[in-house]
Amino acid sequence: MHDQPDLPERGECEYTDQWIARFTDEQLVAYRAYLVAKRASFVDVTPPTSMYRSASYRRYRYARWIQMVDRERASRSAGSTIE
C-alpha cells in the first residue's frame, strides 16, 4: 500500500479542490497513486452502520478525489500550452 505523500497543510474551511490546486505536479502524481491504492483497498464485507462509513461510499469518495486531481492536472497542461 502506498504511504500518504507529503502534502501542503489543509486549512479548516478549505475546499478539496482549492487544497489540490496548491499541490506541485509531483504531489499531484503521488496523491493520485495514493488515492487509487486506497480506493482499491476497501472491501465491502460487513454491513455498513452508516452510508458515509461504508466501504462503497469511501470508494466513491476516493473516485471523486481522483477526478479532482485529474481535472487539476488537465487544467495545468492546458494552461502551459496556451503561453
Side-chain angles (χ1 to χ4, degrees), residues 3 6 15-16 20 23-24 31 50 59-60 64 68:
D3 292 330
D6 185 28
Y15 292 108
T16 303
I20 289 172
F23 290 11
T24 65
Y31 191 55
S50 155
R59 277 194 306 268
Y60 164 78
R64 297 278 296 155
M68 283 189 264

Side-chain angles (χ1 to χ4, degrees), residues 33 40 47 53 69 74-76:
R53 293 187 180 152
V69 169
S75 72
R76 289 182 188 188

Side-chain angles (χ1 to χ4, degrees), residues 48-68:
T49 56
S50 155
M51 180 185 94
Y52 299 105
R53 293 187 180 152
S54 71
S56 60
Y57 179 79
R58 287 179 286 175
R59 277 194 306 268
Y60 164 78
R61 185 182 66 194
Y62 282 117
R64 297 278 296 155
W65 288 349
I66 291 167
Q67 289 174 348
M68 283 189 264

Side-chain angles (χ1 to χ4, degrees), residues 7-17 19 22 31 65:
L7 303 171
E9 288 294 319
R10 184 173 179 168
E12 275 185 40
C13 298
E14 192 172 29
Y15 292 108
T16 303
D17 57 343
W19 179 56
R22 296 185 316 152
Y31 191 55
W65 288 349

